[in-house]
């Protein structure tokens, strides 16, 4: 697999996912979850639902 671009590397960081979760919480009023996916192209994601069985909950923004 090729290395990630500098921009993708920045966007794939936990800090970016957390910031997105905080913004979504403010915009929607709903709890947001930051989960680790195990996918190198999307190692973290933000969701309004609990993580799937193959994912790990890192933080809940309530």
């Amino acid at each position: 697999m090729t290395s990630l671009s500098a921009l993708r590397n920045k966007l794939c960081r936990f800090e970016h996912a957390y910031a997105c979760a905080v913004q979504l919480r403010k915009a929607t009023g709903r709890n947001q979850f930051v989960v680790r996916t195990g996918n190198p192209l999307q190692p973290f994601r933000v969701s309004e639902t609990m993580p799937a069985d193959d994912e790990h909950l890192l933080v809940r923004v309530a």
Side-chain angles (χ1 to χ4, degrees):
M1 183 172 172
T2 61
S3 64
L4 301 178
S5 70
L7 179 58
R8 180 173 285 278
N9 189 38
K10 179 181 177 183
L11 294 175
C12 286
R13 297 179 61 114
F14 169 80
E15 293 81 4
H16 187 262
Y18 180 75
C20 289
V22 170
Q23 290 176 356
L24 284 168
R25 171 67 172 120
K26 287 179 183 178
T28 66
R30 296 184 182 140
N31 291 340
Q32 302 294 323
F33 301 93
V34 178
V35 298
R36 182 184 308 272
T37 65
N39 179 348
L41 293 178
Q42 185 187 21
F44 306 101
R45 73 177 180 86
V46 177
S47 176
E48 290 182 359
T49 60
M50 289 293 288
D53 290 337
D54 61 339
E55 299 174 326
H56 302 283
L57 176 63
L58 297 176
V59 68
R60 175 182 175 186
V61 180

